[in-house]
């Protein structure tokens, strides 16, 4: 009986792994002019542990980083958006009002759920997907619903400036990584002009600032574009 259970868990893990790899492949391929988010060429980094494998995906058309997790213990794929909005230090009335609205949203949205995580009770938006039936259309639909839910929340709580700051810091970190891995000045300028739609002059200014930071940095550099 125990052997059967172990074999079933192994098969479940293999299924989750296969689907996770396919999702990462879809995210990394594509075109910046594609209509659907799943068809954009996302920047993807993967982190692994015993129970989870997480792909952190970013594209300039999306204000927040998309996390795609292979949840082995539960046998599912979990998508997460984290607007980095802490609630622990809100006063009781504010917190009650916010939690009430999030609970109502959980009933109204079939796929996306709001949750609280971490020591600061930060709000995150989650979509759990069944790997047995997950296809590209369902994956795209989940991504779109997540960003719609998170975007509505950010607007409702007046968090747009903070999310914009997070976005800029993410872009800067991504470009610094590219430079550290050997990207040329021309490649960085191309990224800024094609993906962020900046003018060539602005892209040159930012590229020069990034290369100057890398040249003189000690450890990880954080900067805002």
């Amino acid at each position: 009986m125990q052997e059967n259970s172990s074999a079933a868990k192994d098969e479940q893990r293999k299924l989750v792994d296969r689907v996770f790899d396919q999702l990462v492949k879809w995210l990394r391929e594509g075109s910046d002019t594609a209509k659907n988010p799943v068809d954009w060429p996302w920047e993807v980094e993967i982190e692994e542990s015993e129970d989870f494998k997480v792909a952190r995906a970013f594209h300039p058309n999306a204000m927040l980083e998309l996390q795609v997790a292979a949840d082995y213990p539960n046998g599912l794929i979990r998508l997460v958006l984290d607007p980095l909005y802490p609630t622990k230090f809100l006063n009781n009335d504010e917190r009650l009002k916010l939690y009430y609205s999030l609970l109502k949203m959980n009933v109204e949205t079939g796929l996306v759920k709001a949750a609280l995580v971490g020591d600061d009770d930060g709000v995150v938006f989650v979509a759990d997907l069944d790997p047995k039936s997950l296809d590209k259309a369902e994956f795209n639909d989940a991504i779109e619903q997540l960003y719609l839910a998170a975007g509505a929340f950010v607007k409702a709580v007046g968090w747009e400036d903070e999310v914009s700051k997070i976005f800029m810091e993410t872009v800067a970190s991504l470009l610094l990584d590219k430079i550290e891995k050997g990207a040329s000045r021309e490649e960085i300028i191309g990224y800024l002009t094609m993906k962020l739609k900046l003018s060539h002059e602005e892209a040159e200014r930012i590229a020069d600032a990034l290369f100057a930071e890398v040249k003189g940095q000690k450890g990880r550099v954080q900067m805002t574009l």
Side-chain angles (χ1 to χ4, degrees), residues 17 20 43 70 99 116 133 194 199 205:
D17 261 333
F20 177 87
E43 302 277 348
Y99 292 173
L116 302 178
S133 58
M194 290 187 291
S199 69
R205 182 190 68 77

Side-chain angles (χ1 to χ4, degrees), residues 3-215:
E3 289 182 1
N4 290 339
S5 176
S6 178
K9 287 182 179 179
D10 286 344
E11 286 303 312
Q12 176 177 279
R13 187 182 182 101
K14 289 177 182 177
L15 171 62
V16 172
D17 261 333
R18 285 197 302 271
V19 173
F20 177 87
D21 290 343
Q22 180 61 67
L23 301 183
V24 170
K25 184 174 184 291
W26 284 335
L27 288 173
R28 283 176 168 159
E29 297 172 343
S31 166
D32 289 311
T33 59
K35 180 180 179 181
N36 296 320
V38 74
D39 293 319
W40 299 337
W42 298 69
E43 302 277 348
V44 182
E45 292 187 358
I46 297 175
E47 302 174 0
E48 295 188 52
S49 69
E50 179 64 26
D51 292 331
F52 293 90
K53 185 186 292 183
V54 179
R56 298 182 177 277
F58 176 78
H59 189 277
N61 288 352
M63 290 295 286
L64 295 168
E65 175 188 84
L66 172 68
Q67 298 177 25
V68 181
D71 183 342
Y72 300 121
N74 295 304
L76 55 82
I77 298 292
R78 170 165 288 180
L79 310 186
V80 181
L81 285 186
D82 184 356
L84 301 179
Y85 186 83
T87 67
K88 184 175 182 178
F89 302 106
L90 297 176
N91 65 47
N92 288 340
D93 288 342
E94 290 173 328
R95 194 158 52 239
L96 181 62
K97 183 178 179 181
L98 176 62
Y99 292 173
Y100 175 77
S101 66
L102 292 175
L103 285 173
K104 285 190 68 176
M105 190 210 78
N106 281 348
V107 173
E108 294 166 356
T109 57
L111 181 61
V112 176
K113 304 301 178 188
L116 302 178
V117 298
D119 294 336
D120 61 358
D121 293 332
V123 177
V124 296
F125 294 89
V126 177
D128 289 336
L129 306 175
D130 185 350
K132 296 185 185 70
S133 58
L134 184 56
D135 60 17
K136 195 173 187 179
E138 182 184 357
F139 184 42
N140 182 76
D141 185 52
I143 294 172
E144 289 183 342
Q145 288 192 44
L146 269 175
Y147 278 99
L148 285 172
F153 170 78
V154 166
K155 185 174 182 180
V157 298
W159 201 242
E160 294 99 329
D161 288 346
E162 289 299 321
V163 170
S164 179
K165 180 182 177 183
I166 293 166
F167 172 80
M168 292 299 185
E169 289 174 349
T170 302
V171 172
S173 179
L174 184 153
L175 292 178
L176 287 169
D177 281 339
K178 286 181 177 293
I179 292 170
E180 290 165 359
K181 292 173 181 175
S184 67
R185 180 176 181 273
E186 289 70 28
E187 287 171 329
I188 298 301
I189 291 171
Y191 185 97
L192 291 165
T193 54
M194 290 187 291
K195 291 185 180 287
L196 269 68
K197 311 302 181 186
L198 298 181
S199 69
H200 194 79
E201 291 76 12
E202 184 68 5
E204 286 184 322
R205 182 190 68 77
I206 293 172
D208 289 342
L210 288 167
F211 273 92
E213 290 288 348
V214 169
K215 189 174 181 179

